[in-house]
Amino acid sequence: MLNAVKREIPDYIEGYGEVRHFKGAYASLDNRKKVGVNGRTVKPSNKLQPGDSKMVQSIEEILEKVNFHDGMTVSFHHHLRNGDYVLNMVMKVIHDKGFKDIHLAATGVFACHEPIVEYIKDGTITCVSCNYMSPGPVAKAITQGYLKKPAVFRSHGGRPRAVESGDLHVDVAFIAAPSCDEYGNVNGTHGKSACGVLSYIYPDAYYADHVVAVTDNLVPFPNCPIEITQDLVDYVYVVDSIGDPNGIVSGTTRVTTDPIGLKIANSAAQLLDEAGYIEDGMSFQTGAGGTSLAVAAGVRERMIKKGVVGSFGAGGVTAYIVQMLEEGLFRAIFDVQDFDLRSVASAGTNPKHMAMSGSLYGNPHSCGPVVNKLSIMILGATEVDVDFNVNVVTGSDGTIMGASGGHNDTAAGSKISIVVSNLLKGRLCLVRDRVTTVTSPGETIDVLVTDRGIAINPRRTDLLEKLKDSKLPIMTIEELKKIGEKLAGIPDPVEYTDHIVGVVEYRDGTVIDVVYEPKK
């Protein structure tokens, strides 16, 4: 047949295959597909013609353009943490328009998202999936059984695995964009609402059917530097404010001054030194809590004393890790989120401070996540059991108060994973016969360091051998449990209904545990 330039082209060419005929320079855009990792088709094209605008005037217009309907999945990211405005803003319009049975696929849910409790109760939202859920009204409502379907808790690496594999299909992704141009080039490190890298929303930008950048800082094209590129973004919507960056600093991000916390941290740092992990080329990640940062302080002192230079710090980044980079103690930082404004500034200015996607961070099905190169990981816990299984999803009363985050990703990947915690938590012994909810399996947890003693997983015979002559208070986990129960007693068991309110996925997508609704 004749194509648009009047060339006679057969419908089929041997050795090539079926021919899609040229219909014109712009008509051919109708056949365009957006292609992602490994050449897979990841989202339908918005078919933007030259001269067309991506700018929209309202959330209502966005919903109309994407043909929004009941049962859709919408996603958001949590880099603004407890200062986020975008999730509430969008969900209010979806609620007011009367849509139902919505799956809220947020990477994190915080206390600031309390307005969605109403939407859960009235059936606007019937499913929630996330990597992290802070204690607060939403967690309480889900614990009490108001959500129609079980919440799904994934790890920071498990969520991008789910998105990339198709286990989690996102219809519309909303990116809170601190800086954006009219064509959708986005970064998170500039603008009045700068929150640092936007790593957790990267897979949604690639794989969601529709991607919307919501910004309070529209800049001339091209926006530099570019973190999420224009070819992934369908619409741009300008608002007065996407959030309060001061809400990023939710929880302590300073080294503890508590004597008990300092004792735990010093023991952990000494153990790492005696076991030979503080060495040239080491890599390190810690949480943002005061005791975890005190471990980082102890590691830093020993690195300086020994003249050690590590390869990288990783994970959620604090000012303390930035300081270690600037002091030359690490050659680089791999960053998935920033916990304070100094980290935000560093992410925007230091070329050695690098953003990484959640998939690069912890996806076990990728060609090689960064967690597999971690030497040392410092973890927290709400409970640990005698098999070293760790719970960070629920409290001992069954109330949802967290989610895996990077816990089971880093525990599995690192050379040594250490849980640091007071032995008594809320007047209860941290060590239980059986944790309320398993987040990270005991086979991936190496050491528990408490103020009353240290337990090494019996699987780590190498550590037990190296530390057999140590003066550290090393004992069995059963001995730690007895000490804690002597101090706090044994609590009465919590009774549960048979209603499952949450599903805890391991990083590979298998279900490691479920959360039941406590009896009222």
Side-chain angles (χ1 to χ4, degrees):
M1 66 172 285
L2 290 176
N3 66 14
V5 290
K6 299 180 181 180
R7 307 294 289 186
E8 184 72 39
I9 308 293
D11 294 333
Y12 184 87
I13 299 173
E14 191 68 34
Y16 173 83
E18 186 178 344
V19 172
R20 289 184 292 117
H21 292 283
F22 178 70
K23 298 178 181 179
Y26 302 118
S28 296
L29 291 175
D30 293 341
N31 296 318
R32 186 178 62 178
K33 296 179 179 178
K34 288 196 175 180
V35 178
V37 177
N38 298 326
R40 288 172 290 176
T41 299
V42 296
K43 60 186 285 186
S45 168
N46 190 34
K47 303 172 187 173
L48 196 72
Q49 304 284 357
D52 286 354
S53 174
K54 294 185 179 183
M55 303 298 297
V56 293
Q57 302 305 311
S58 67
I59 295 169
E60 289 85 351
E61 182 183 352
I62 295 166
L63 299 182
E64 182 178 346
K65 284 180 176 290
V66 304
N67 191 28
F68 200 85
H69 54 78
D70 293 352
M72 276 190 149
T73 298
V74 293
S75 73
F76 303 86
H77 63 100
H78 72 280
H79 293 92
L80 278 159
R81 296 172 65 78
N82 205 39
D84 172 57
Y85 294 167
V86 173
L87 189 154
N88 289 344
M89 182 191 310
V90 173
M91 290 310 305
K92 182 179 188 306
V93 176
I94 290 173
H95 169 266
D96 292 350
K97 297 287 283 185
F99 294 109
K100 298 291 184 182
D101 194 26
I102 302 304
H103 175 187
L104 175 63
T107 64
V109 177
F110 286 78
C112 65
H113 299 132
E114 181 176 5
I116 71 170
V117 171
E118 175 190 344
Y119 312 153
I120 289 172
K121 290 180 177 179
D122 70 11
T124 301
I125 298 169
T126 56
C127 183
V128 172
S129 58
C130 62
N131 318 2
Y132 179 76
M133 181 171 289
S134 70
V138 180
K140 183 177 179 181
I142 293 173
T143 302
Q144 293 174 339
Y146 288 109
L147 190 64
K148 183 177 179 181
K149 302 172 186 176
V152 180
F153 302 107
R154 296 186 175 95
S155 71
H156 286 329
R159 184 182 187 277
R161 178 211 55 77
V163 173
E164 292 172 14
S165 69
D167 289 349
L168 173 59
H169 176 80
V170 177
D171 294 298
V172 191
F174 290 89
I175 301 175
S179 184
C180 185
D181 62 36
E182 64 178 2
Y183 222 49
N185 294 300
V186 171
N187 73 59
T189 55
H190 293 67
K192 66 179 183 179
S193 302
C195 58
V197 299
L198 306 177
S199 303
Y200 294 137
I201 202 66
Y202 292 174
D204 304 58
Y206 274 101
Y207 289 88
D209 287 349
H210 306 277
V211 177
V212 182
V214 182
T215 188
D216 55 10
N217 181 41
L218 189 69
V219 300
F221 179 90
N223 182 26
C224 293
I226 300 173
E227 185 176 358
I228 295 172
T229 54
Q230 64 192 40
D231 54 317
L232 303 176
V233 177
D234 298 299
Y235 306 107
V236 176
Y237 176 46
V238 179
V239 297
D240 291 335
S241 179
I242 61 170
D244 178 4
N246 290 311
I248 296 169
V249 191
S250 50
T252 177
T253 54
R254 289 187 290 272
V255 175
T256 185
T257 57
D258 173 54
I260 294 176
L262 291 173
K263 178 182 178 182
I264 295 167
N266 185 64
S267 294
Q270 184 178 338
L271 182 146
L272 287 167
D273 199 2
E274 291 185 17
Y277 285 93
I278 299 178
E279 59 182 355
D280 279 335
M282 60 172 277
S283 52
F284 180 77
Q285 181 177 336
T286 185
T291 301
S292 295
L293 290 177
V295 178
V299 168
R300 172 180 172 271
E301 290 172 4
R302 288 163 172 82
M303 290 176 74
I304 292 172
K305 184 176 180 180
K306 298 173 75 171
V308 163
V309 176
S311 56
F312 67 89
V317 175
T318 63
Y320 209 80
I321 298 300
V322 169
Q323 178 186 346
M324 294 174 77
L325 173 69
E326 293 173 348
E327 290 174 335
L329 297 177
F330 290 117
R331 295 197 299 271
I333 288 176
F334 284 109
D335 188 357
V336 283
Q337 67 175 317
D338 296 292
F339 285 120
D340 52 50
L341 299 183
R342 181 175 177 185
S343 304
V344 172
S346 173
T349 58
N350 192 335
K352 295 181 180 180
H353 186 153
M354 300 177 291
M356 63 174 167
S357 69
S359 191
L360 174 58
Y361 176 44
N363 181 352
H365 293 171
S366 73
C367 296
V370 167
V371 296
N372 288 358
K373 298 294 287 181
L374 271 177
S375 304
I376 300 164
M377 180 63 207
I378 307 300
L379 300 159
T382 59
E383 296 174 331
V384 182
D385 67 25
V386 293
D387 294 318
F388 285 83
N389 297 310
V390 175
N391 173 21
V392 294
V393 172
T394 56
S396 298
D397 61 354
T399 300
I400 295 168
M401 56 183 300
S404 175
H407 202 287
N408 58 44
D409 298 313
T410 53
S414 58
K415 291 180 180 178
I416 185 168
S417 59
I418 300 179
V419 171
V420 294
S421 177
N422 291 22
L423 184 57
L424 299 187
K425 301 270 286 188
R427 300 182 182 178
L428 296 175
C429 178
L430 171 78
V431 183
R432 315 295 294 272
D433 284 324
R434 187 167 179 248
V435 292
T436 304
T437 309
V438 179
T439 309
S440 295
E443 64 188 288
T444 66
I445 304 299
D446 298 313
V447 184
L448 170 62
V449 179
T450 75
D451 52 317
R452 303 281 177 165
I454 298 170
I456 297 175
N457 193 322
R459 294 181 179 87
R460 290 300 305 265
T461 54
D462 59 325
L463 282 178
L464 290 167
E465 177 63 25
K466 281 184 178 179
L467 297 169
K468 64 183 180 181
D469 297 323
S470 174
K471 293 182 181 179
L472 290 167
I474 296 172
M475 60 189 71
T476 68
I477 197 162
E478 290 82 5
E479 289 171 328
L480 262 182
K481 178 173 173 286
K482 285 181 182 178
I483 293 171
E485 289 179 345
K486 185 176 181 180
L487 293 168
I490 302 174
D492 294 330
V494 177
E495 294 186 356
Y496 296 91
T497 70
D498 59 2
H499 179 204
I500 294 174
V501 297
V503 174
V504 183
E505 286 190 4
Y506 191 56
R507 59 199 298 254
D508 61 2
T510 57
V511 176
I512 194 169
D513 210 343
V514 294
V515 181
Y516 289 94
E517 179 186 353
K519 287 186 177 178
K520 296 181 174 60

